[in-house]
Amino acid sequence: MSNSPFSHSHFLGYINFVSPAFVKVHFPSSVLMKTFVHHAEVLRGGLVGNYIVIEGEDKGFLGKILEISLPEKERLELSEKTFSTKAFHPVGRIEILLAFDLFNPSVIEKGINSLPLIGSKVFICSSEFLSTHFKTFGIKPENIEYSPTFRLGSLIYDKTVPVDISLQAIFSRHCAVIGTTGGGKSYTISKFVEGIIETGAKAIILDPTGEYSTFDIHPKVEHSILISESYFPYQSLTINDLFVLFRPSGQVQQPVLLEAIKSLKVAHCLMNDIPSNGHSNDGTHDKFVFRGQQVIVNNGLIVKQGNLTAAYNNAYFTYKQIIEDFSINNFSISLLHRQIGNECFQISNDRWSISRDERNYGNATSLIMRVNNVISDNNYAGMFGFNSPTTNNLITKINNFLSDSDKNILRIGFENVPYNFQVREILANALGRYLLSKARTNTFRTKPMILFVDEAHQFLNKKVKDEYFESTELNAFDNIAKESRKYGLFLCLSTQMPRDIPVGTLSQMGTFITHRLINHQDKEAIASACSTANKETLSFLPSLGSGEAIIMGVDFPMPISVKVDLPTITPKFDTPKFTKVIDVQV
């Protein structure tokens, strides 16, 4: 049999117990196992975690040794003297991971429809057999030749076995990189970035702390640091984004804010489409004539006080398509707080009243102040380009990156964005919403895009409350997780607290790279979201060392325990070191 994974020199023992949950192997003699692990190490459990293959009648099985024990009689005879001289007969418990065709081992069967028989031979799995299979995970047989792979690391229990993974297996069903602080998440993301550069794919990184700014020197990496280098234009915010930004109360302030935005859009259309309507200026007001009636604009503001409603309605109807398309916010936002005041007039017959409705104005006063404060704040202005920005338009930057064949990574840095007033969450949500809207137009259909969200617990499962404690959910990333896969936009989340990620979002992750996890709630979150995260696999998580992880997911027929290679370019922030201060005697 060619390419056989079964080698006599790798023989371990025989199956002596079979159950649906696990099987057991009987080792004829621990002395004969010195080929793989020292005799003393066998008794201590040195083979635990290693992969084995089982030779069945018509199928082969790949498994993992979970534990090694001695029969009760031999355990009682164990002493310091016998430990080093006597041949013992250990028993190992094995988890069956997958089945493969006995005569064509490269063909893996999804699901385990049968189990090995009593007496089947057990062998240590060769490194060649394992490394060959990793490359094929998640790829259809006809596409293997064309699917790019990259070196992630090596097996924890056998450093000679390289782990080469395809981008398709890792990202095509969304991905989550999870683990406690110091577990190695940042290094894993850095290896992903290097793999994307190596294979020529494209990715955008939302970097909340500037941790991946070390990649900015790479010629294939573009960077854009918010506030200091770029801004997300408010014109690209949706009406929901504007509501989240200004937090109007639902029943009182939202209608007046919406009307003020519509009025400013009408004013913008009038002032930029002069040839299509009559226009005059009396030195104080611009007057636009529609069907013999005047719409009055004063310094960019629609004047409603005492004027006919019909003229405004005619103008609104003329530009209705633009005004009601809230993905186009081409109005002067610096005038918004003043236009809200202009909306506080009641309609009587066919005109707005001469006197302001003080009750409505009083209800809108807090909104006017809030809008004015947001627009005049330097940080907000720098983030959203409110006042004649001098930095680069981030949307233009993203579009240029997408069309630039020489760039593979765009890092969007949040390191200058303040933490107050949930502005980070609002900005990240707006970015996610924009990328989802591009995905829906099939922008990424032929050239998939990976969106990395580092420290994802900062941005997901967030709500913004108004002054009446009514909340608006920031759900852009949740929507990306649920629907963008078919459009070619893939999400990769990195977090140390999976319990804080919405259940609906976490359940959409097809691949989990899980570093050390200790918290019970975090492990339960993984168990409920990942179908392949069984009790046996999760039991290894607390004992993982730095840089070690278990890969599991839909496109992985078996969990893989991997030691992630050190990236060529390491992240910026390592754990600060305490140093001894030495007094210098003068």
Side-chain angles (χ1 to χ4, degrees), residues 191-205:
K191 285 300 294 181
F192 286 168
V193 171
E194 290 180 356
I196 289 167
I197 293 173
E198 176 187 333
T199 57
K202 277 188 176 286
I204 293 176
I205 304 174

Side-chain angles (χ1 to χ4, degrees), residues 49 51 64 154-157 163 540 544 549-551 559-563:
Y51 294 99
K64 188 175 186 179
S154 58
L155 286 182
I156 292 176
Y157 300 101
V163 178
F540 283 90
L544 293 175
I550 297 177
I551 306 176
I560 304 173
S561 302
V562 61
K563 171 69 174 178

Side-chain angles (χ1 to χ4, degrees), residues 336-355:
L336 183 57
H337 63 292
R338 294 171 60 190
Q339 185 63 49
I340 293 172
N342 284 2
E343 300 298 325
C344 296
F345 294 88
Q346 292 286 356
I347 297 175
S348 177
N349 296 323
D350 58 351
R351 291 178 180 272
W352 281 285
S353 62
I354 296 293
S355 300

